[in-house]
Amino acid sequence: MTKNERLTQSAVVIIAVCAVGVSVWQGRISRQHLDLAQESIRVAQEHNKLSVRPYLNFFSGWVSKDTWGLNLTNEGIGPAIVKSVELTYKGKTYSHWDALLDAMNLRSSRVNSTNLGKDSPFKMDKEVSLIQLIRDPVNPTPLGLDILIKYNSIYNEPFELSTSF
């Protein structure tokens, strides 16, 4: 083999090695871009979920001189889908105010009550009076009642809200 042929062969090998090196380097860069793109998609999805997240909250207080009330409000940006409402008194769970108030001997004290059904939508800024009872404002005694509301966002993320009074 002549000197020129060896020089050409060496140049071809060097160019081939450089091409392989550039390809590997480009592959790593592409992988980094893919990882960044996937992270961007994850962040965008998380942002979308948070931008429509419901936030249910209880508010209680005296509605009038002798009437106490418990309200439920959606202070979030998106709607809540109420999955269940559990009313627990003395270890027994009820899903309806009538049965609970009968068990507590308080049906005659009810001024107003609202039962939420399964899969009930609860839109943003909605407020509903769950229960209003005639009570003694001077000596308000705890009733021993626990409320647990399970609800989902429109992305089917589960949330819970509870209170006792």
Side-chain angles (χ1 to χ4, degrees):
M1 209 189 296
T2 67
K3 186 175 181 183
N4 282 342
E5 288 174 334
R6 281 190 300 216
L7 188 58
T8 303
Q9 218 174 26
S10 296
V12 168
V13 169
I14 290 171
I15 290 171
V17 169
C18 288
V20 168
V22 168
S23 294
V24 169
W25 177 64
Q26 193 173 20
R28 290 187 64 169
I29 289 175
S30 294
R31 179 65 188 176
Q32 289 173 346
H33 286 289
L34 179 62
D35 290 345
L36 288 174
Q38 288 172 339
E39 180 64 15
S40 294
I41 290 169
R42 189 195 64 73
V43 168
Q45 288 172 337
E46 186 66 24
H47 172 267
N48 291 345
K49 287 179 183 180
L50 291 173
S51 69
V52 293
R53 181 177 179 186
Y55 182 74
L56 297 186
N57 202 3
F58 290 117
F59 292 95
S60 64
W62 295 99
V63 178
S64 67
K65 185 175 104 173
D66 62 350
T67 303
W68 177 87
L70 177 68
N71 293 348
L72 178 66
T73 303
N74 184 355
E75 296 180 322
I77 298 172
I81 294 95
V82 176
K83 292 302 189 179
S84 67
V85 177
E86 297 174 7
L87 310 167
T88 304
Y89 177 68
K90 292 188 177 179
K92 188 168 180 190
T93 300
Y94 304 86
S95 60
H96 197 273
W97 284 108
D98 288 344
L100 172 76
L101 293 174
D102 285 344
M104 298 174 75
N105 295 319
L106 288 176
R107 191 182 263 223
S108 62
S109 298
R110 175 178 54 194
V111 175
N112 182 29
S113 64
T114 302
N115 293 297
L116 301 173
K118 182 174 175 19
D119 294 328
S120 295
F122 206 87
K123 70 180 185 171
M124 173 180 79
D125 291 331
K126 182 176 182 177
E127 183 170 2
V128 68
S129 173
L130 289 178
I131 187 79
Q132 290 181 356
L133 298 170
I134 296 172
R135 307 274 314 270
D136 181 2
V138 177
N139 297 314
T141 58
L143 298 175
L145 172 63
D146 297 318
I147 299 177
L148 173 64
I149 297 179
K150 295 180 181 180
Y151 63 100
N152 288 357
S153 71
I154 59 173
Y155 281 99
N156 210 27
E157 296 173 293
F159 300 98
E160 292 184 355
L161 174 67
S162 64
T163 191
S164 298
F165 60 93

